[in-house]
Amino acid sequence: MNQIRKLILPRLISDGMVLNRNGKANIWGHALPGDTICIHFLGEVRETSAGEDGKWKVSFLNLPPGGPHTMKISSKSSGEIELKDILIGDVFLSSGQSNMELPMERVKDLYPEEMINCRNNYLRLFKVKEKYHFPYPLQELESGNWKSADPSDITEFSAVSYFFEKYLYESTSVPVGVINASLGGSPIQAWLGEEELSEYPAYREELNAYKNNQLIEAELERNTKQSEEWYQALDKADKGLKEEIPWYAEAVGEDGWKEIKLPGHFQDAGIVDFTGSIWFRKTITLPETMAGRSTSLWLGTIVDSDTVYVNGVYIGGTPYQYPPRKYQIPAGVLKAGENVIAVRVICDNGKGRFTPGKIYRLFTEKENITSEKKSRLEESINRTKKSNSEDNNRKDAYISAERSNDLEGSSSLEGSISLKGSISLEGSISLEGSWLYKIGAKCDNKPAANFISWKPAGLYNGMINPCHEYSLSGVLWYQGESNTGNPSGYSVLFQKLISSWRRKWQQNDLPFLYVQLPNFEIDIAEGDDGWPALREEQRYGLSIPGTAMVVALDLGEANDLHPLRKKEIGYRLSLAARFLVLKEQTEYSGPVLKTNETVVDTENKKIILSFSHAGGGLTAGDGSNHPGNFLLVGEAGSSTKAEAVIQEESVILTYKTSLKPKYIRYAYTNNPEEELLYNGYNLPASPFVICLN
């Protein structure tokens, strides 16, 4: 906190902050009870008095966008604080779990130009650090500060938040600030307050239990002790570490080593339900041109943890499954001729793999690989700009004609890298194919950790409640993966979250822009429909006034819980903000089914589905008139695929069996493989399930 004697400001009210331009912009803090507080800002002077509890608050209305500005806050008995570099613009809270938290550092190889050229002082982000608290809602944040988008700080920015504010600024030229309060793995109940969870006995009981700090300390100690003991026992038993010549050494005998094709699932090679350590080795031959140079080593993703050596030299390691394995081999390690890569993999619970479809390659220089097809994002941006330029009735007070022309060439997907990817240039060697492996040690499954941060109400109390006084333009929400194990009722919890946050921010119409879960498949058990069910629950959220949903069914990666294409997510969120927050007449949604206009012709075995948001015409993802992924389900659960053809703003379904359809499912799978339905702005339709009776 900023503090001069007894005048105290919260972390959010600090140098570099962005104040909300529309409606209220609150400035608050603490001083001696009864003290007079004077605020000088934009030529105005506001006075107030601290209450009996020392708290004071002043509100400014409809501030003009721009900056930077300076603000002076003083009290008669406690001195003065000067705040600098203040901007006025649009302010959003971004919240959710890992895909909202995911930093630009994780997507830097997909968007290398962003990391170098992101010099925009009008884009700001405040990162709320992880903090849980169960006894009661906290009033203040313990840490954090406002940062602007530049190469020195951009790696820490939430990628979704950054691209959202980048595209919003490009359309308005108004400063944008985002308060990012998100945490990987967090379920929705962690972001709800105690009052909202009162109707859920299990959540209420768990919350009450964790109000006991001694329980928390005991659980944390147990987590640490169990994990340390498990790893120590495994290391002690691992033959690859015990033998006179460790298995990561450059020269190791091949007795007992078996061949395996990588990448792949270990069970496909006969290593079924294995928990413990496995060693992998591969010998590669390098030309003189690669010898001695600092070299990148990419090993996709690995389940669960790994340690990597090259020619017996430790290169790096990753302690859990999700981060991409991107290691740097120091200069002098590689040599001309034969080189040995050794990887020790620890499998926690019998599901080990080198994830298929990722990049496994050694290379001395990175190559920016552009996708073969024109970016759907680029097409969407161009179509939106063309539509807006043709709309003579839309006036934008904050963007000049010159600025608009500049934007025409600024939004392409620079340096995109194929998600299945390959790096094809001289000085590059594929690591796919034949490896050798040997079991180091087998053990019982790793004890499951108890993640205290994910318990009910903890993150709301510690990370959201302290932000309630800070006036917002809207909320960005990307969460749901951790609720796919029990998707039923998610829509009710989501409605409670929206209504309670609006009430506590005292903004009854606070816009909520949220991301529907993308396509994903690799870690989902056969027959588990938790992901499509959760997407359907999210779709129900559109019935809440003042909400907009970004469909991301085409932006996921079947083999990765954390897909990289955050630029498209940010862009689609910015479209929703332009419509819902800034009231622009721009298309922001993919096709939306008009359920009440569905026509069923059982005699001719035909169903007509009508859609709104069909601007520019409906189309399949491949540009044809034949989208896929439509399934008809009968009374007893039997189903048949429907053939679909687009006719103006409708999709005509036909079927040949005697099935009497009761439900229509569109794209109701974990990872739809047929062509999706889009409108002319390259925005996809949401998956849906409708009942025909």
Side-chain angles (χ1 to χ4, degrees):
M1 289 188 175
N2 299 304
Q3 182 173 354
I4 298 179
R5 285 179 282 175
K6 296 295 181 180
L7 180 59
I8 301 172
L9 299 179
R11 290 278 179 178
L12 286 167
I13 306 299
S14 56
D15 291 342
M17 66 180 172
V18 183
L19 294 176
N20 188 36
R21 63 170 166 145
N22 292 318
K24 286 185 179 180
N26 296 326
I27 306 296
W28 75 98
H30 286 82
L32 293 173
D35 203 354
T36 299
I37 308 300
C38 186
I39 299 179
H40 295 258
F41 188 53
L42 297 182
E44 295 185 41
V45 180
R46 300 285 180 88
E47 285 192 0
T48 190
S49 297
E52 293 182 0
D53 59 356
K55 185 172 182 179
W56 55 267
K57 182 171 73 172
V58 168
S59 298
F60 292 88
L61 292 175
N62 299 321
L63 292 169
H69 303 293
T70 298
M71 177 185 293
K72 291 184 179 180
I73 305 173
S74 61
S75 70
K76 288 188 176 180
S77 61
S78 304
E80 180 180 277
I81 296 176
E82 182 176 82
L83 301 179
K84 301 177 181 179
D85 196 25
I86 299 169
L87 300 178
I88 300 169
D90 299 312
V91 183
F92 294 82
L93 175 81
S94 65
S95 188
Q97 57 183 105
S98 54
N99 275 307
M100 181 62 87
E101 184 183 26
L102 196 83
M104 287 293 290
E105 171 68 23
R106 282 281 288 273
V107 300
K108 64 182 181 181
D109 293 304
L110 184 57
Y111 310 116
E113 295 302 317
E114 295 288 348
M115 312 304 291
I116 300 171
N117 299 327
C118 59
R119 302 177 188 276
N120 191 336
N121 191 45
Y122 294 103
L123 306 182
R124 305 280 174 88
L125 185 133
F126 187 104
K127 171 64 177 174
V128 178
K129 298 296 178 64
E130 176 183 352
K131 176 68 177 180
Y132 59 78
H133 194 74
F134 300 103
Y136 51 84
L138 298 180
Q139 299 302 312
E140 305 291 354
L141 299 173
E142 292 182 347
S143 61
N145 59 284
W146 289 93
K147 295 184 178 182
S148 61
D150 63 58
S152 62
D153 290 323
I154 191 65
T155 56
E156 301 177 14
F157 273 48
S158 151
V160 168
S161 301
Y162 167 71
F163 286 120
F164 165 78
E165 57 184 355
K166 173 189 175 181
Y167 282 116
L168 193 62
Y169 178 80
E170 287 188 351
S171 70
T172 65
S173 293
V174 171
V176 185
V178 174
I179 302 167
N180 178 236
S182 52
L183 182 65
S186 56
I188 191 172
Q189 59 267 25
W191 300 102
L192 284 158
E194 183 171 5
E195 179 183 353
E196 287 68 49
L197 296 173
S198 61
E199 301 175 15
Y200 300 85
Y203 294 155
R204 188 174 64 244
E205 182 179 345
E206 194 169 24
L207 169 57
N208 288 333
Y210 282 91
K211 290 180 179 179
N212 182 345
N213 196 54
Q214 291 181 334
L215 172 64
I216 293 176
E217 292 176 355
E219 288 292 310
L220 293 175
E221 183 179 352
R222 183 184 67 84
N223 283 345
T224 301
K225 184 173 184 292
Q226 286 186 341
S227 180
E228 289 179 349
E229 289 178 348
W230 189 82
Y231 281 112
Q232 288 170 1
L234 180 59
D235 291 349
K236 187 176 181 180
D238 192 327
K239 296 176 184 178
L241 298 174
K242 291 168 57 179
E243 292 189 357
E244 183 177 352
I245 301 177
W247 294 354
Y248 58 78
E250 185 175 359
V252 175
E254 294 187 0
D255 289 346
W257 291 79
K258 299 179 181 180
E259 186 177 0
I260 187 172
K261 298 293 184 182
L262 295 178
H265 298 261
F266 298 167
Q267 64 181 11
D268 295 340
I271 312 171
V272 180
D273 296 329
F274 176 84
T275 299
S277 61
I278 311 180
W279 292 80
F280 299 86
R281 291 172 64 87
K282 186 176 184 67
T283 300
I284 57 175
T285 302
L286 297 187
E288 289 281 354
T289 55
M290 294 183 69
R293 300 176 63 179
S294 176
T295 303
S296 295
L297 172 62
W298 284 15
L299 292 173
T301 59
I302 298 173
V303 176
D304 287 277
S305 61
D306 62 277
T307 311
V308 180
Y309 305 84
V310 175
N311 294 335
V313 178
Y314 171 76
I315 301 302
T318 306
Y320 65 109
Q321 74 176 79
Y322 294 115
R325 273 54 171 183
K326 297 179 178 180
Y327 300 116
Q328 199 67 27
I329 302 174
V333 173
L334 293 173
K335 57 189 179 182
E338 290 191 346
N339 295 259
V340 177
I341 300 172
V343 183
R344 183 191 186 221
V345 176
I346 295 177
C347 304
D348 294 351
N349 55 13
K351 298 178 181 178
R353 69 169 183 261
F354 281 58
T355 305
K358 296 292 185 178
I359 296 174
Y360 297 84
R361 191 166 284 269
L362 190 75
F363 53 98
T364 53
E365 296 179 32
K366 294 180 184 177
E367 179 187 57
N368 296 335
I369 305 173
T370 56
S371 57
E372 294 181 4
K373 295 182 179 180
K374 187 177 181 181
S375 163
R376 188 172 292 280
L377 170 63
E378 190 174 30
E379 293 177 357
S380 182
I381 291 171
N382 291 336
R383 182 58 186 262
T384 299
K385 288 177 181 176
K386 181 179 179 181
S387 173
N388 289 340
S389 67
E390 291 172 350
D391 183 0
N392 294 323
N393 295 322
R394 188 175 73 87
K395 302 297 181 181
D396 191 333
Y398 302 106
I399 185 167
S400 67
E402 181 179 355
R403 175 64 176 157
S404 180
N405 290 334
D406 289 343
L407 293 182
E408 287 294 334
S410 67
S411 301
S412 62
L413 258 176
E414 308 98 333
S416 63
I417 192 167
S418 167
L419 296 180
K420 290 188 175 179
S422 61
I423 297 176
S424 54
L425 74 164
E426 293 183 12
S428 168
I429 293 179
S430 172
L431 301 177
E432 296 186 9
S434 180
W435 287 63
L436 296 177
Y437 81 91
K438 194 173 184 179
I439 304 296
K442 189 173 183 178
C443 62
D444 293 332
N445 284 358
K446 182 182 176 183
N450 183 7
F451 292 94
I452 308 298
S453 296
W454 301 347
K455 302 303 179 184
L459 299 180
Y460 170 79
N461 288 346
M463 298 173 69
I464 299 299
N465 195 76
C467 302
H468 280 324
E469 293 283 12
Y470 206 90
S471 303
L472 302 176
S473 304
V475 173
L476 313 177
W477 177 255
Y478 190 165
Q479 190 279 331
E481 298 93 334
S482 289
N483 289 93
T484 55
N486 184 24
S488 179
Y490 181 90
S491 59
V492 177
L493 290 169
F494 188 40
Q495 184 172 14
K496 287 179 178 293
L497 183 141
I498 292 174
S499 61
S500 64
W501 285 19
R502 284 173 169 171
R503 184 176 69 254
K504 292 169 184 177
W505 253 283
Q506 298 183 29
Q507 295 179 245
N508 293 331
D509 57 353
L510 182 65
F512 263 74
L513 321 175
Y514 64 99
V515 181
Q516 189 182 48
L517 291 186
N519 51 305
F520 176 64
E521 188 171 44
I522 194 166
D523 289 319
I524 302 175
E526 186 176 352
D528 183 348
D529 66 349
W531 277 66
L534 199 287
R535 293 188 198 110
E536 184 71 357
E537 292 279 328
Q538 290 176 314
R539 188 173 71 93
Y540 297 158
L542 291 174
S543 65
I544 305 169
T547 61
M549 183 178 74
V550 165
V551 177
L553 200 61
D554 56 342
L555 300 180
E557 298 175 42
N559 62 358
D560 202 322
L561 186 65
H562 304 111
L564 298 180
R565 295 170 62 188
K566 298 299 190 269
K567 180 177 258 189
E568 288 93 331
I569 296 288
Y571 175 69
R572 291 177 184 178
L573 281 168
S574 76
L575 290 179
R578 288 167 62 184
F579 178 84
L580 199 59
V581 179
L582 305 182
K583 309 303 181 184
E584 292 185 22
Q585 295 305 305
T586 189
E587 184 57 272
Y588 68 97
S589 171
V592 175
L593 178 68
K594 299 178 182 178
T595 305
N596 294 334
E597 296 184 18
T598 301
V599 177
V600 180
D601 182 351
T602 54
E603 182 177 346
N604 294 305
K605 297 182 179 180
K606 181 170 68 174
I607 300 173
I608 302 175
L609 304 175
S610 298
F611 292 84
S612 60
H613 295 279
L618 299 179
T619 182
D622 60 359
S624 73
N625 286 327
H626 299 281
N629 303 295
F630 287 94
L631 190 72
L632 306 180
V633 182
E635 289 277 359
S638 57
S639 62
T640 186
K641 180 180 175 181
E643 297 299 324
V645 62
I646 294 169
Q647 189 176 93
E648 296 181 347
E649 296 185 354
S650 298
V651 174
I652 314 298
L653 303 182
T654 57
Y655 56 101
K656 297 179 181 179
T657 69
S658 58
L659 178 78
K660 183 180 180 182
K662 184 176 181 180
Y663 300 97
I664 301 175
R665 291 180 174 179
Y666 167 67
Y668 192 84
T669 62
N670 296 314
N671 181 48
E673 297 182 353
E674 298 178 356
E675 295 297 335
L676 299 174
L677 177 66
Y678 291 83
N679 61 17
Y681 293 85
N682 287 302
L683 299 174
S686 168
F688 59 79
V689 178
I690 61 168
C691 181
L692 298 176
N693 298 327

